[in-house]
Every structure is written in structure tokens, then in C-alpha cells.
Amino acid sequence: MLTAQVLATAMATLPLGYKPHIMFFLADDLGSYNLGYKGNSEVNTPTIDELAGEGIKLNRHYVFKYCSPTRSSFLSGRLPYHVNMENKGIDEEGGVDLRMQTIANKLTSAGYISHQVGKWHAGSSCTGNLPINRGFVSSYGYLSGEEDHYSQIDKSYVDIWEDHAPAYGKNGSACPSMDCEVETYNCYQYTKRSVEIIQAHDPSVPLFLYHAWQEAHTPNEAPAKFLNKSIDYPLRQMYSGMVAALDSGIYNVTQALKEKGMWNQTLIIFSSDNGGREDKDFGGNNYPLRGMKFTDFEGGVRVVAFVTGGAVPEKNRGSSHDGLIHIADWYSTACYLSGADPNDPAAGVPNIDSVNMWPSLVGASASPRTEICLSDLAIIKYPWKLVLTNQGKKGWWTGPVHPNATYEPRIDNDPGCPNDCLFNIDQDPGEHADVKSQFPQQYSDLKNLLS
């Protein structure tokens, strides 16, 4: 009886009165305009649209401008410049420093069972980097930055891992037409694994599931049933098909939660790892934002994101949040909701930068984050944003229908900010007007902060 009373007292001190099941869904290279609820009528994303509409839309959710640093930031609770700012090869040292505790370590300490599914790309040069050794009780996915959706081949090797070893025999074969219907399509098999995890889980124990989808990263491949034949441009059609496949996978996982009776105590966090790519053979679209993946312009780092699920307080459902959030902030937020201590004062590495966003999300306070160091070339001190260099000359603006027949050939020809740019991203979210000459003090302040 004493144990039950102690447990009840402990639960009463939690913000929600219980430890929510936490699902973190991370899309790959998803453009901020490539979802129905963002105004795109061509894509078929009914599940994502409904989930966003039932939850809290995050209008200023920031990440790194490309893949591995974003994942490292989420997992470690550090801003990228304190953990990792490079995409490293599968056998190169990188990702999350082994001295850092991951979000899975923290949630496990609070009694969670933690699973990883899909793309890792947060370190793989030694066995200590494997998800199974970073706080997850199981992992199933790939370690590199991309692979064939059907054969799981990255360059010349098969990249599919299960727990401690390669998942021998579980990869498929290449699809010559790019639109085959086979169960080894990554979205299918990784969705299946997440559904199996939920079906086997004891609902009385809090679950943390980190599912990082490959969609909509290249190679451009999706089963034919997801292709919208009314889209007249093949690249845009295939990209939209990958996004539709993502939506289908999320439907299956959320249905599994409901069928298991876990939905009412589940919090889902959805984000892209960076903005969509808009050049070459990439079909993303970040309209009306400027730039794309690999740039610090808003189109590269301000991504589509929302929180949803039965754990979202009823009064907050269907709302939007305009405060600054960085993907690193989910580390402290998850710790707050679970009762874990977010601090990670490991010797020789910076402590977390993560900030608990829950009170702000549910309307109890303004966002505690007013600054974000995006990279070594960009910083925000709201509403001001400083961007340096030409940003790879990829600071384009697109229209709502992109890519299209006027798209080719598209070359990197935007001048960017070779002499630095200062933007007011509240008044000018599209980053059209460099105002450093009108606001020299703000420019100087941000330049000093960044240095």
C-alpha cells in the first residue's frame, strides 16, 4: 500500500499526472510547403493534416540546415555547434559524442522503454555509436544518410541494421521502375516494425519510440499507388508520392496506438530534419520561404512541425505556437514530462542547451527561447536574424507549384549574403530585405554574438 501511495504521489507531481508515451516522428528533406495543411492541394496527406489540425502547429520550429547535425541535436539536447555540424561518412567519427547522454538514456532512467526505427545518421564509426548502445532497447534501420528505398543499398553496401548487427536477409532488391510494390520498401518495413513494437508493448509502461522516416529523401522512389497521376511534372509527382507514403506509414502507426488503447496518453512530435531541397533532381518546395536544405535561410532551417496526440491538453488542440523552438528543446521537454533530470554535465563536453518548452506550448508562458545559434554562419535574436556568406548560392524563392517545366536547368546563382545580411523575420519572413544599414546596432550585436 505504501508503494502505491508513493507512486500516486510521484505521478501527481508530473505535469500531465502521468508519464506520456512519446513518439518522435522525424521526416527527411520534407519541404515546408509539401503538406496539405500548408496549402498544397496536390499532395495526399490526410493523416498528417488531421494530426496537425488536432494538435499544436509549431510555426517557428528550427533545425540545422542538414541531416546528421539535426539528429545529433535532438538526441543530445545540444545545439549543433555544441555536438555536431557535419554529415560524416558511415565509418567516420561523428554524430553524438559518446560522453553525452541521449534522450533515450534520460527517458530510460525515468522508466521508459525506448526503441529506434529507421534512419540513424548520428554516429556509426564504432559499436558504441549504435542506437542499441545509446539508450534504446531495440533498433531497426540504417546508419548512413541515405539508401535505396527498395534494396537498402548505400553506394556499394547494404545498410540495414537490427540491434547489434547487420539485419542479414532483410534487405530487398532494386526496383528498375522506381515505383514497385514490395514489402521491403523502407516506409513499409520500418512502419511494420513500429507497429509491431506498439502491439507487443505493455501500455502500463511508458513508451518512447523514435521513428525517423526516409521520406522524402532521395533516391526518388515510391510505390505506384502513392503517385498522383494528375501532377504533370514527373519529379514533383514522385516527390509527392514519397510524402504520401510517409502519410500512410504515420496512419498505420497512429492506428496501432489507438487499437492498443495508448492514444489518450500519447504525445506525438512531428518535424522535418531540414527544409526540402529544391535544386537538381530534388523535388522539395519551401514556398514562400527563401532557400533550401544546406542554407541557413528560413527555407533550410525553419521546418514544418507540430505536436499532437491524446496527451495534448484539450484547450490547446487546434492551436498554433509562434514562439521560437529548436529541435534540441525536445530533450528537456521530454524530461520535464517524464520526471527525468535533463542536466547532463559530462566531463569534457558542453552541458545541454535544451530548454523546456511545455509551459509555453500549453499557453502558460511565452517561449523561453529568444536566441538560436543556427550554425557558424547564422544566428537569430528574435526578430532579428543574421546570415553570412553566399550560402552555396541556393537562396532561391520558389512558387507554389515547384518543380515544374520552367525549372530546368536550375543552377546555383543566388548571390546570398557575401557581405552579411540582417533580416527582420517577423516583418519579412521571406528574407527579401537586408536591413543592416538601417539597423547598424542590431547588426553589430548579432555579429558579436555569432563570433
Side-chain angles (χ1 to χ4, degrees):
M1 179 65 70
L2 182 61
T3 300
Q5 290 175 342
V6 171
L7 180 61
T9 301
M11 289 299 183
T13 64
L14 294 170
L16 295 173
Y18 58 88
K19 297 181 180 183
H21 307 296
I22 299 174
M23 313 286 121
F24 196 93
F25 294 161
L26 190 62
D28 202 342
D29 285 10
L30 179 64
S32 57
Y33 191 68
N34 291 117
L35 294 172
Y37 86 86
K38 299 293 285 185
N40 191 323
S41 61
E42 288 186 332
V43 295
N44 183 31
T45 54
T47 299
I48 294 174
D49 299 342
E50 182 177 2
L51 291 173
E54 294 173 347
I56 306 170
K57 298 171 185 173
L58 309 176
N59 293 332
R60 295 194 181 277
H61 187 269
Y62 286 88
V63 297
F64 196 71
K65 54 191 165 186
Y66 50 81
C67 182
S68 181
T70 289
R71 296 160 201 274
S72 301
S73 184
F74 163 68
L75 288 164
S76 71
R78 276 85 169 171
L79 292 172
Y81 75 96
H82 276 154
V83 57
N84 171 33
M85 290 204 299
E86 296 183 75
N87 275 346
K88 292 294 188 69
I90 196 169
D91 59 347
E92 295 180 297
E93 184 177 339
V96 181
D97 192 296
L98 294 179
R99 292 168 291 183
M100 297 176 177
Q101 294 285 295
T102 70
I103 189 173
N105 293 129
K106 289 294 185 179
L107 291 175
T108 297
S109 74
Y112 279 68
I113 304 296
S114 302
H115 299 268
Q116 180 269 336
V117 177
K119 180 173 175 176
W120 180 241
H121 208 197
S124 55
S125 64
C126 66
T127 57
N129 292 125
L130 295 175
I132 197 73
N133 295 320
R134 303 311 309 261
F136 296 95
V137 299
S138 81
S139 71
Y140 186 62
Y142 58 108
L143 303 178
S144 62
E146 71 170 286
E147 64 180 8
D148 188 272
H149 290 258
Y150 291 101
S151 68
Q152 290 70 54
I153 291 176
D154 177 23
K155 302 179 179 69
S156 60
Y157 55 85
V158 174
D159 184 7
I160 181 168
W161 283 72
E162 186 169 20
D163 298 338
H164 296 279
Y168 291 108
K170 294 190 176 181
N171 62 297
S173 301
C175 170
S177 62
M178 299 187 297
D179 61 358
C180 301
E181 181 65 42
V182 293
E183 63 181 14
T184 58
Y185 183 68
N186 268 351
C187 188
Y188 288 167
Q189 66 165 321
Y190 295 143
T191 295
K192 180 182 177 184
R193 175 54 62 96
S194 286
V195 168
E196 290 171 346
I197 287 169
I198 293 165
Q199 290 174 337
H201 187 75
D202 177 357
S204 67
V205 178
L207 170 66
F208 171 48
L209 174 60
Y210 171 39
H211 189 135
W213 313 82
Q214 186 174 1
E215 289 71 31
H217 199 295
T218 51
N220 298 312
E221 298 169 323
K225 69 180 183 181
F226 294 116
L227 304 184
N228 180 353
K229 301 299 185 182
S230 69
I231 298 177
D232 59 0
Y233 193 73
L235 177 56
R236 195 169 79 251
Q237 182 187 92
M238 181 58 76
Y239 184 94
S240 297
M242 291 192 289
V243 177
L246 165 68
D247 188 85
S248 174
I250 289 176
Y251 172 83
N252 289 340
V253 176
T254 54
Q255 281 300 112
L257 289 165
K258 293 174 181 178
E259 292 169 6
K260 191 70 176 182
M262 297 168 62
W263 180 257
N264 289 341
Q265 294 192 348
T266 291
L267 181 71
I268 294 174
I269 304 152
F270 177 93
S271 174
S272 182
D273 66 336
N274 44 251
R277 277 195 74 172
E278 299 168 334
D279 58 340
K280 300 179 181 177
D281 61 343
F282 299 88
N285 190 4
N286 304 306
Y287 170 83
L289 301 179
R290 181 181 185 180
M292 67 184 83
K293 178 181 179 179
F294 295 124
T295 79
D296 289 301
F297 292 118
E298 295 286 271
V301 295
R302 180 179 167 188
V303 296
V304 61
F306 57 84
V307 292
T308 191
V312 173
E314 189 170 349
K315 67 183 177 66
N316 300 110
R317 296 173 189 173
S319 66
S320 294
H321 182 273
D322 293 322
L324 295 185
I325 303 178
H326 191 274
I327 197 167
D329 295 331
W330 295 112
Y331 187 102
S332 285
T333 305
C335 287
Y336 175 72
L337 294 173
S338 68
D341 178 4
N343 287 303
D344 183 27
V349 293
N351 204 335
I352 64 167
D353 302 296
S354 184
V355 178
N356 172 28
M357 299 302 301
W358 191 253
S360 177
L361 290 172
V362 298
S365 63
S367 173
R369 183 172 286 287
T370 58
E371 297 179 8
I372 300 177
C373 183
L374 295 168
S375 72
D376 56 343
L377 299 176
I379 189 169
I380 294 172
K381 186 174 182 179
Y382 195 76
W384 305 104
K385 178 180 177 183
L386 177 68
V387 179
L388 310 184
T389 78
N390 65 17
Q391 295 290 313
K393 298 186 177 181
K394 295 179 184 291
W396 309 332
W397 292 273
T398 63
V401 181
H402 175 88
N404 54 55
T406 63
Y407 161 78
E408 297 177 310
R410 196 69 186 257
I411 59 174
D412 297 336
N413 58 4
D414 178 81
C417 298
N419 299 311
D420 307 344
C421 295
L422 180 72
F423 301 108
N424 183 322
I425 54 174
D426 178 47
Q427 298 178 3
D428 178 26
E431 298 170 302
H432 293 271
D434 173 16
V435 295
K436 67 177 181 292
S437 61
Q438 295 99 301
F439 298 94
Q441 187 61 55
Q442 287 82 356
Y443 168 62
S444 177
D445 290 347
L446 265 67
K447 188 86 168 182
N448 290 334
L449 272 176
L450 190 58
S451 62

